[in-house]
Amino acid sequence: MNARALMVCLAAAWLAGCQWLPAQSRDDVAETTVAKVETPNCYAEVPGFADETCLLRDWVAFGLASQRGDGEWRERMRERLVGTQTETRLARAVVLAWGPPSQWKQASELFKADLHAAPPRLQPLLRYWLNEIERRRDQQHRLVSSEQARGALAEEKEALTEKLDALTDIERNINSRQRTE
């Protein structure tokens, strides 16, 4: 029997084994699962640092909302997120990070300035977002650079084509003179 068939058989046996558990065990497993699923009411519209139990959930939800939101939503949020508090500035950085490329530098600066003041549990997520915005800024810079290089090459090609055409005309003139002589 090959390894793939053995793995399939083991997986099927493991899955089928659940039905042979005593009814009480299955109920205990179901209750444990339900107990683990119950969570506090999180997902504030604007995240903060105060609620430790909802900290990551709120910030991840806010990041997803910023990513999915349109320009109008982002503008409303930027108006709401005016202030100098660390949590407000970081929330504004998240909103700016998903805006147009012209706002990415400001988002990066806000992340860099206030990341250290965020709760330690939140810092890895914020650092990830900072790295992501820096990666997008780098890609944008490379795209602009490559477009400029492409434009310069197109201009150089055009100049070389004109020179080649001029040389071709000179060669034709020389050939026509040689035929007439």
Side-chain angles (χ1 to χ4, degrees), residues 27-107:
D27 292 342
D28 291 344
V29 169
E31 288 175 13
T32 303
T33 304
V34 169
K36 288 181 182 177
V37 171
E38 293 176 9
T39 58
N41 188 14
C42 294
Y43 309 114
E45 188 176 8
V46 176
F49 296 157
D51 190 357
E52 183 68 25
T53 58
C54 294
L55 185 70
L56 286 176
R57 287 186 194 114
D58 283 351
W59 281 91
V60 168
F62 186 70
L64 290 172
S66 296
Q67 184 178 5
R68 294 174 183 152
D70 58 5
E72 187 177 307
W73 182 88
R74 278 189 207 83
E75 186 60 34
R76 278 195 320 269
M77 290 310 291
R78 283 180 44 216
E79 289 171 3
R80 285 182 63 185
L81 296 170
V82 173
T84 58
Q85 290 182 325
T86 301
E87 57 194 15
T88 303
R89 288 171 48 92
L90 287 170
R92 189 167 57 241
V94 172
V95 171
L96 292 170
W98 292 106
S102 60
Q103 296 176 346
W104 293 352
K105 181 179 180 184
Q106 185 182 3

Side-chain angles (χ1 to χ4, degrees), residues 151-166:
L153 287 173
E155 289 175 10
E156 184 180 349
K157 178 187 174 246
E158 184 64 34
L160 288 173
T161 301
E162 289 174 11
K163 288 179 183 178
L164 182 62
D165 289 343

